[in-house]
Amino acid sequence: MDSTIYLIGPRGAGKTTVGKALSLTLNYRFIDTDDWITQKYQQTISLMVQDKGWDFFRQIESEALIQVSQPNQVISTGGGMILAEKNRAYMKSSGVIIYLQASLETLVERLSQDPNEAQRPSLTGKTLVSEMNDVLAKREPLYLQCADIIVDAGLSINEIIEVILAKLMK
């Protein structure tokens, strides 16, 4: 298997944590698109959005997706990567898309423990519960539409990796 593996899901689903573990297991390179953007532009995502707006960020996020995509890589995408139809189509045509599906309760618990607001800016200014509920309502259909594999992100890291490997080998 030489494909690119894309991890999608809302912030807090565990894309980076799972991505690092999966890449080690498969001996693939790991890329986090948000980290890549932050390094390239020498600015946090929060400041970028504050200075230039969400439309600018979404555009460079789409460009980053194409620039980092290579075979034998696990790519952790930003939670909103799937908002652009061109991104969903690109990932679908160039690799395997794994959706780390998490409940609202799991996401809120994880984000409360590690808010990392520089990398995870508020999308709406609402409370975390209200914002994540809105995000899931809007994005869940898109995550499900483009996913090749759906994994319960509430499982342990080892269990998630086992499920992914079993489904990849089918």
Side-chain angles (χ1 to χ4, degrees):
M1 191 180 88
D2 295 337
S3 63
T4 306
I5 297 172
Y6 298 100
L7 298 176
I8 63 170
R11 60 190 177 128
K15 298 180 300 285
T16 299
T17 303
V18 170
K20 288 177 180 177
L22 183 60
S23 66
L24 286 172
T25 303
L26 295 172
N27 198 26
Y28 276 25
R29 186 169 173 226
F30 173 74
I31 301 275
D32 180 299
T33 58
D34 286 347
D35 288 347
W36 189 88
I37 289 167
T38 299
Q39 289 174 10
K40 179 174 180 177
Y41 289 89
Q42 294 296 297
Q43 190 175 35
T44 65
I45 292 170
S46 288
L47 282 175
M48 196 176 299
V49 169
Q50 183 181 330
D51 291 348
K52 298 184 178 162
W54 279 107
D55 289 343
F56 173 80
F57 175 73
R58 293 295 179 213
Q59 178 58 42
I60 63 170
E61 185 178 53
S62 295
E63 293 167 8
L65 177 66
I66 293 166
Q67 289 182 34
V68 303
S69 294
Q70 299 286 327
N72 301 312
Q73 285 192 155
V74 175
I75 299 174
S76 170
T77 64
M81 185 70 78
I82 49 81
L83 293 173
E85 201 285 323
K86 68 181 177 181
N87 294 345
R88 297 191 306 273
Y90 180 82
M91 290 187 289
K92 201 76 169 155
S93 69
S94 64
V96 177
I97 303 172
I98 300 171
Y99 172 32
L100 297 180
Q101 188 175 41
S103 69
L104 175 63
E105 295 77 19
T106 297
L107 296 172
V108 169
E109 179 183 326
R110 288 178 182 173
L111 291 170
S112 295
Q113 291 173 2
D114 179 24
N116 192 5
E117 290 171 3
Q119 281 301 91
R120 298 174 173 154
S122 173
L123 301 171
T124 62
K126 296 179 179 179
T127 66
L128 183 59
V129 172
S130 180
E131 179 174 306
M132 292 311 297
N133 191 49
D134 291 352
V135 165
L136 283 177
K138 180 178 181 181
R139 296 181 184 175
E140 180 82 2
L142 298 174
Y143 292 134
L144 292 170
Q145 171 197 7
C146 64
D148 296 307
I149 297 171
I150 300 169
V151 180
D152 178 358
L155 299 171
S156 73
I157 294 296
N158 289 340
E159 291 170 320
I160 291 171
I161 299 302
E162 284 179 24
V163 170
I164 291 171
L165 293 175
K167 292 185 178 191
L168 286 174
M169 301 309 163
K170 281 187 179 179

